[in-house]
């Protein structure tokens, strides 16, 4: 059944099931069939503990503490951890209390074991801060956050009065220090009174001496100031005289410059008048030349305009005749092209019909060859079956029935027909003379046989190739 659930201000919804890979945390959401919805509270809870720990000197003590712990709502990852690991348990249950207490006691004991009692007692603030940080680091893996931590004063374990003795020691030290402070105050009072009297006399004498010194200094400074003023007045007078001389020199220079500029201006004015007269004369001459040029242009332009109009009319008439001739030629060329196109289409149709006929004939011829090949294949398979699969017997039968041997004999006969071969016959060295003459006589006969073969061999080579043996090997005798 579909449900729409809404959590209160201090609650969250945890939805699992169909369509949700892990879990979904929301303030409000639809819950569909196949899904489960659980509500968990995020308000923090106070946990009060008395942690028993031991310092590095093996001195036990009790650390009373109150921790306000709850889920961390400003971090989604921590909220998922809390929903997955802690939300199913009651926040006030022994399970939760033991979890938080175990973390706090473990971290406190580990930290206390690394510090002496004096360090813990004198650095209570730093010790509390260190405990808080260590505990928070461990609670992060459960998605929990320490909203507040109140660590009270360290307390002795029963049977161990360290803090009590330490307090008594502090009280005694404070009392002794108070007595010392009272005695020191009395001593300072008496000594201070005598010291003040002596300082009064000393200061009076010192002031008198300083007054005389200051008076003498003031007189010397007055004389110095007077001399300084006189010197500055003299320097100022000299500077004013030098400035006046410099002003007079500058005035003379300026007067000379002004006279020079006046003379230059007068010369420039005279030259400017001459230049202006030359420019005006030049402009007059240019205007006269332009007037004559325009007059000549008008005379020649009227004549040229008439000739131009005449030429334009003649050119337009020639262009009109050429355009008409070109249009006639174009019309004639179009008609000729249309006739050629019709003739080409007719020729193409005839060639296409011819090609289609040839293609049809080739197809029929190919079909006939295929049928013939299939018939021959059937014929050969039948003969092979008749010969019992003997390929050699089938080959001999086909060669005989096809007249292959007669054709071979005829071809060989035609090949040697008309030839007049010359056949030379020569024998060896003769018959053996028996075994009585020995091996040496046999070798000589072999050599003599070779020499008897040479003349017929040379004769045959000469008759067939025309080659004559060299003179040192002998000559051939004509028959």
């Amino acid at each position: 059944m579909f449900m729409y659930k809404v959590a209160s201000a201090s609650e969250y919804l945890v939805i699992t099931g169909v369509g949700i890979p892990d879990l979904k945390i929301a303030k409000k959401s639809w819950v569909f069939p196949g899904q489960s919805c659980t509500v968990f509270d995020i308000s923090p809870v106070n946990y009060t503990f008395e942690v028993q720990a031991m310092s590095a000197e093996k001195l036990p003590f009790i650390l009373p503490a109150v921790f306000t712990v709850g889920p961390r709502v400003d971090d989604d990852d921590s909220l998922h951890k809390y929903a997955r690991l802690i939300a199913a348990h009651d926040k006030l249950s022994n399970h939760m209390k033991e979890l938080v207490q175990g973390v706090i006691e473990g971290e406190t004991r580990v930290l206390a074991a690394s510090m002496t009692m004096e360090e813990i007692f004198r650095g209570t603030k730093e010790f509390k801060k260190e405990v808080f940080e260590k505990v928070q680091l461990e609670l992060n893996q459960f998605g929990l956050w320490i909203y507040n931590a109140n660590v009270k004063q360290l307390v002795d374990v029963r049977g161990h009065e360290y803090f009590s003795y330490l307090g008594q020691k502090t009280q005694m030290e404070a009392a002794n220090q108070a007595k010392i402070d009272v005695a020191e105050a009395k001593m300072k009072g008496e000594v201070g009174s005598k010291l003040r009297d002596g300082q009064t006399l000393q200061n009076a004498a010192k002031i008198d001496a300083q007054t005389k010194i200051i008076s003498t200094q003031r007189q010397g400074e007055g004389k110095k100031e007077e001399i300084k003023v006189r010197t500055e007045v003299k320097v100022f007078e000299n500077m004013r005289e030098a400035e006046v001389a410099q002003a007079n020199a500058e005035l003379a220079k300026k007067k000379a410059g002004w006279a020079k500029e006046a003379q230059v201006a007068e010369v420039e004015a005279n030259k400017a008048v001459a230049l202006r007269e030359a420019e005006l004369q030049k402009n007059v001459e240019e205007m006269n030349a332009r007037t004559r040029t325009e007059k000549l242009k008008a005379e020649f332009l009227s004549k040229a305009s008439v000739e131009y109009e005449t030429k334009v009319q003649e050119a337009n008439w020639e262009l009109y005749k050429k355009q008409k001739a070109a249009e006639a030629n174009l019309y004639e060329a179009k008609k000729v092209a249309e006739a050629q196109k019709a003739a080409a289409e007719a020729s193409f149709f005839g060639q296409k019909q011819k090609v289609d006929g040839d293609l049809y004939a080739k197809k029929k011829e190919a079909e006939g060859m295929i049928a013939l090949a299939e018939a021959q294949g059937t014929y050969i398979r039948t003969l092979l079956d008749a010969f019992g699969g003997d390929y050699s017997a089938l080959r001999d039968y086909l060669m005989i029935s096809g007249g292959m041997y007669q054709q071979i004999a005829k071809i060989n006969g035609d090949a040697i027909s008309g030839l007049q071969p010359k056949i030379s016959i020569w024998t060896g060295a003769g018959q053996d003379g028996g075994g009585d003459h020995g091996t040496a006589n046999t070798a000589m006969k072999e050599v003599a046989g070779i020499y008897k073969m040479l003349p017929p061999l040379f004769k045959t080579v000469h008759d067939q190739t025309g080659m004559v043996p060299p003179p040192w090997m002998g000559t051939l005798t004509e028959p």
Side-chain angles (χ1 to χ4, degrees):
M1 186 176 73
F2 295 96
M3 292 184 296
Y4 189 77
K5 290 204 170 187
V6 179
S8 63
S10 62
E11 293 178 342
Y12 269 97
L13 303 178
V14 181
I15 304 172
T16 58
V18 178
I20 301 175
D22 185 11
L23 57 87
K24 175 183 176 183
I25 298 178
K27 277 287 188 180
K28 53 187 176 180
S29 176
W30 284 99
V31 180
F32 299 98
Q35 294 181 349
S36 174
C37 178
T38 305
V39 180
F40 68 90
D41 190 10
I42 60 171
S43 17
V45 178
N46 291 328
Y47 296 97
T48 303
F49 309 103
E50 288 188 354
V51 181
Q52 293 188 1
M54 187 174 291
S55 67
E57 304 100 326
K58 305 294 189 297
L59 295 175
F61 64 91
I62 297 175
L63 179 67
V66 178
F67 282 79
T68 304
V69 181
R72 185 173 182 177
V73 296
D74 59 348
D75 183 60
D76 291 339
D77 187 36
S78 299
L79 204 58
H80 277 75
K81 290 179 181 178
Y82 180 82
R84 189 180 293 108
L85 302 174
I86 306 297
H89 303 281
D90 185 5
K91 292 186 293 185
L92 300 176
S93 64
N94 290 331
H95 174 77
M96 281 293 298
K97 186 174 182 180
E98 289 174 358
L99 174 65
V100 177
Q101 184 176 2
V103 173
I104 295 173
E105 287 182 351
E107 295 300 326
T108 304
R109 288 169 181 170
V110 171
L111 184 61
S114 63
M115 300 175 66
T116 64
M117 186 64 76
E118 188 69 19
E119 291 174 347
I120 296 172
F121 186 75
R122 295 189 179 279
T124 305
K125 185 176 180 181
E126 289 75 13
F127 177 71
K128 294 177 181 179
K129 181 180 178 182
E130 194 75 18
V131 170
F132 178 82
E133 292 176 353
K134 296 288 186 181
V135 172
Q136 180 59 67
L137 188 63
E138 291 296 323
L139 292 179
N140 284 338
Q141 60 186 330
F142 301 103
L144 294 173
W145 181 257
I146 300 176
Y147 288 91
N148 183 38
N150 184 15
V151 179
K152 300 179 181 179
Q153 186 62 41
L154 301 177
V155 179
D156 287 319
V157 178
R158 181 174 296 181
H160 296 79
E161 306 297 333
Y162 177 80
F163 290 115
S164 176
Y165 293 149
L166 193 61
Q168 294 177 10
K169 176 185 176 182
T170 304
Q171 291 176 0
M172 293 300 294
E173 288 178 350
N176 294 332
Q177 186 64 38
K179 292 178 180 179
I180 293 171
D181 292 340
V182 170
E184 286 183 354
K186 290 181 179 180
M187 179 189 69
K188 287 179 180 180
E190 294 177 356
V191 173
S193 176
K194 297 295 182 180
L195 183 62
R196 288 287 181 270
D197 294 339
Q199 287 178 349
T200 301
L201 297 176
Q202 291 176 2
N203 290 334
K206 183 177 179 181
I207 290 170
D208 292 338
Q210 289 178 351
T211 301
K212 292 180 180 180
I213 293 171
I214 292 171
S215 176
T216 305
Q217 289 177 349
R218 290 286 182 270
Q219 292 176 1
E221 289 176 356
K223 291 181 180 180
K224 287 181 181 179
E225 291 294 330
E226 183 179 356
I227 295 170
K228 182 177 179 182
V229 169
R230 292 176 181 176
T231 304
E232 290 178 352
V233 169
K234 188 63 176 178
V235 170
F236 179 75
E237 290 176 353
N238 294 335
M239 288 177 63
R240 294 303 299 171
E241 290 178 358
E243 289 177 357
V244 169
Q246 183 178 1
N248 293 331
E250 290 180 355
L251 179 59
K253 288 181 181 179
K254 289 182 179 180
K255 287 181 178 180
W258 292 336
K260 180 181 176 182
E261 290 177 356
Q263 293 175 1
V264 171
E266 184 177 358
V267 173
E268 288 179 350
N270 296 330
K271 296 296 183 182
V273 171
L275 290 174
R276 185 58 182 167
E277 290 178 356
E279 289 179 358
L280 293 174
Q281 184 63 31
K282 179 182 176 182
N283 291 335
V284 171
E285 292 177 356
E286 287 180 354
M287 291 299 295
N288 293 332
R290 288 177 184 174
T291 303
R292 291 193 296 270
T293 303
E294 294 296 331
K295 182 178 180 181
L296 293 174
K297 282 183 179 180
E299 292 177 357
F300 288 107
L301 183 61
S302 59
K303 183 178 179 180
S305 298
V306 173
E307 292 179 356
Y308 172 74
E309 293 294 334
T310 305
K311 297 292 184 181
V312 168
Q313 294 298 328
E314 293 177 356
N316 290 336
W317 172 247
E318 292 293 334
L319 178 61
Y320 177 75
K321 291 194 294 182
K322 289 180 180 180
Q323 286 180 348
K324 290 301 180 183
E327 290 176 358
N329 293 332
L330 178 62
Y331 179 76
E332 183 179 358
K334 285 184 178 179
K335 292 300 181 183
V336 171
E338 291 176 357
Q340 291 177 352
K341 180 179 179 182
E345 290 178 351
S347 175
F348 173 73
F349 181 75
Q351 291 178 359
K352 182 178 179 183
Q353 293 297 326
K354 182 180 178 182
V355 170
D356 291 342
D358 293 341
L359 178 61
Y360 182 76
K362 293 292 184 181
K363 285 183 178 180
K364 290 301 180 182
E365 183 179 355
E367 291 175 357
M369 293 175 67
I370 293 172
L372 178 61
E374 291 177 352
Q376 288 180 350
T378 304
Y379 173 67
I380 291 173
R381 283 196 297 272
T382 303
L383 289 177
L384 188 60
D385 294 338
F387 285 108
D390 189 353
Y391 175 74
S392 300
L394 174 61
R395 181 191 60 195
D396 294 341
Y397 173 77
L398 292 174
M399 292 178 70
I400 293 171
S401 62
M404 180 64 72
Y405 291 111
Q406 293 86 339
Q407 293 179 6
I408 291 173
K410 182 178 179 182
I411 291 169
N412 290 334
D414 293 339
I416 62 174
S417 176
L419 295 178
Q420 295 180 358
K422 298 183 70 175
I423 302 173
S424 300
I425 300 174
W426 64 85
T427 62
Q431 302 294 329
D432 293 336
D436 297 335
H437 299 287
T439 306
N441 192 14
T442 303
M444 292 302 295
K445 287 181 179 181
E446 293 293 335
V447 174
I450 292 172
Y451 276 96
K452 287 180 181 180
M453 287 192 306
L454 289 176
L457 177 61
F458 291 154
K459 180 66 176 175
T460 302
V461 172
H462 175 70
D463 292 341
Q464 294 184 3
T465 64
M467 295 177 62
V468 179
W472 58 271
M473 296 187 68
T475 59
L476 298 175
T477 57
E478 295 295 333

